[in-house]
């Protein structure tokens, strides 16, 4: 009873081919009857006189064997299964938290079309490069907010990116330290050996607190990487302060990460992937086991080979 309850086909769509194959075999049997194709070119009265004497033995037909072979092949391709087997699986434990600046200065247009749009493009590139790493998203202005906790559902994180803009924040400000602390709490709950924080900002108003928060993350084994959002050099955009590259570099140094501009995001993604791969080889979680259904179609192959061998006999027609 347990066998019947668990029995199913892994690829049931192949069963749709059975009626077609049976119909084809029936049509071929009717078309190639006892008289073969000669019945179409020789008169029915003359054909018995031309047929060779078979010694009284009835002619042998391959059609039953052909139907059997086709049926067995189709059933094997459909993948009959009735048994599960557990197997070990490996899951990387890398985790990235993206910290996105939504302060008013991110509306500046010194980079086309504006800083926040270019930052969202960079976040989208990070999501593309995440692979099997879990990704979380934190935004900040005067306060920090978690948009998504750590998740491997990158599509959901990407779907939440378009509405993110400075005008959705309840209060204006530019305090990075609360966002770094929030990112640290997300990573602390993930028990990851490859935690990375990527800050996308054009600057922050609390350097002492931000440097201290970056240092705390580094002490926890989490690297703080910084992507400067703004034009090349010290560009003063309308309604914004100039991009202070030295301060951003100092933040990355305090956090044990690297600083890059928008053009260096692909290289940063490569470094993050390399770090995740190294951590996966050294401290991959090996306690994960996945149960999968065994494909029983292999047991039909010996009978299929026997049927194919019978079809190779001489004198079927």
């Amino acid at each position: 009873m347990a066998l019947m309850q668990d029995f199913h086909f892994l690829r049931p769509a192949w069963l749709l081919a059975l009626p077609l194959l049976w119909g084809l075999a029936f049509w071929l049997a009717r078309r190639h009857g006892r008289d073969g194709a000669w019945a179409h070119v020789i008169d029915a009265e003359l054909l018995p006189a031309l047929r060779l004497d078979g010694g009284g033995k009835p002619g042998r037909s391959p059609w039953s064997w052909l139907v059997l072979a086709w049926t067995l092949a189709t059933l094997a391709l459909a993948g009959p299964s009735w048994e599960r087997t557990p197997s070990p699986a490996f899951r990387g434990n890398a985790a990235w938290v993206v910290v996105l600046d939504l302060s008013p200065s991110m509306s500046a247009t010194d980079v086309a079309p504006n800083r926040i749009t270019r930052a969202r493009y960079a976040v989208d590139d990070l999501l593309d490069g995440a692979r099997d790493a879990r990704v979380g998203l934190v935004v900040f202005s005067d306060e920090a907010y978690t948009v998504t906790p750590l998740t491997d559902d990158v599509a959901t994180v990407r779907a939440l990116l378009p509405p993110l803009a400075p005008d959705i924040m309840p209060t204006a400000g530019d305090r990075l330290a609360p966002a770094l602390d929030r990112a640290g709490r997300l990573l602390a709950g993930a028990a990851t050996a490859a935690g990375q924080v990527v800050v996308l900002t054009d600057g922050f108003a609390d350097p002492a607190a931000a440097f201290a928060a970056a240092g705390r993350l580094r002490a926890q084994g989490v690297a703080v990487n910084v992507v400067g959002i703004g034009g090349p050099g010290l560009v003063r955009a309308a309604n914004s302060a100039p991009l202070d590259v030295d301060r951003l570099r100092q933040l990355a140094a305090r956090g044990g990460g690297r600083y890059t501009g928008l053009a260096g995001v692909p290289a940063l993604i490569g470094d993050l992937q390399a770090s995740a791969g190294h951590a996966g080889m050294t401290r991959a979680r090996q306690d994960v086991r996945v149960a999968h259904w065994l494909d029983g179609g292999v047991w039909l192959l010996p009978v299929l080979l026997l049927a194919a061998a019978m079809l190779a006999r001489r004198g079927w027609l």
Side-chain angles (χ1 to χ4, degrees):
M1 292 298 296
L3 175 63
M4 294 303 298
Q5 291 176 355
D6 292 337
F7 184 84
H8 67 286
F9 289 96
L10 300 177
R11 298 172 293 274
W14 277 104
L15 298 177
L16 298 176
L18 282 177
L20 299 176
L21 294 175
W22 291 339
L24 178 60
F26 178 77
W27 178 78
L28 290 174
R30 290 287 302 273
R31 187 170 185 271
H32 298 279
R34 183 171 178 272
D35 294 333
W38 291 111
H40 299 286
V41 295
I42 299 178
D43 292 337
E45 295 81 2
L46 184 59
L47 186 58
L50 296 178
R51 187 181 297 116
L52 296 177
D53 186 8
K57 297 180 181 180
R60 292 171 294 183
S61 173
W63 307 116
S64 59
W65 289 101
L66 183 62
V67 169
L68 177 61
W70 280 353
T71 302
L72 291 174
T74 303
L75 292 177
L77 289 171
S81 180
W82 58 89
E83 183 181 2
R84 282 188 176 188
T85 180
S87 60
F90 296 89
R91 182 175 61 194
N93 61 347
W96 304 351
V97 176
V98 178
V99 177
L100 178 60
D101 187 352
L102 292 185
S103 61
S105 61
M106 290 292 287
S107 299
T109 57
D110 55 331
V111 289
N114 52 46
R115 290 181 179 180
I116 185 58
T117 301
R118 294 294 295 274
R120 289 199 299 262
Y121 291 162
V123 174
D124 193 71
D125 291 340
L126 286 166
L127 295 177
D128 285 337
R131 297 179 181 174
D132 61 345
R134 289 169 293 170
V135 180
L137 179 59
V138 174
V139 298
F140 74 95
S141 57
D142 187 52
E143 298 291 339
Y145 302 91
T146 300
V147 179
T148 61
L150 288 171
T151 177
D152 54 6
D153 187 2
V154 174
T156 297
V157 183
R158 181 176 283 112
L160 296 174
L161 284 179
L164 298 181
D167 55 6
I168 71 169
M169 302 302 283
T171 56
D174 203 357
R175 297 195 306 132
L176 176 59
L180 293 178
D181 290 336
R182 185 173 289 265
R185 290 193 294 271
L186 291 178
L187 292 170
T192 177
Q196 299 278 347
V197 172
V198 181
V199 180
L200 296 99
T201 180
D202 61 354
F204 44 92
D206 56 342
F211 294 159
R216 289 193 295 270
L217 288 175
R218 184 177 185 178
Q220 298 171 11
V222 177
V224 178
N225 305 276
V226 182
V227 178
I229 308 298
L234 298 178
V235 178
R236 180 178 293 278
N239 301 321
S240 68
L243 186 66
D244 192 343
V245 175
D246 291 337
R247 178 178 290 183
L248 298 180
R249 290 185 185 276
Q250 188 176 359
L251 175 67
R254 291 290 185 91
R258 60 172 292 185
Y259 168 80
T260 185
L262 285 169
V265 170
L268 174 62
I269 294 173
D271 290 346
L272 296 176
Q273 291 172 342
S275 176
H278 177 71
M281 288 187 295
T282 57
R283 297 185 60 181
R285 292 184 59 183
Q286 303 183 27
D287 58 341
V288 181
R289 299 186 70 83
V290 178
H292 66 274
W293 291 99
L294 292 176
D295 192 338
V298 65
W299 298 108
L300 297 175
L301 294 182
V303 186
L304 176 59
L305 292 175
L306 177 61
M310 296 300 295
L311 287 171
R313 295 180 63 185
R314 298 179 59 185
W316 281 112
L317 298 175

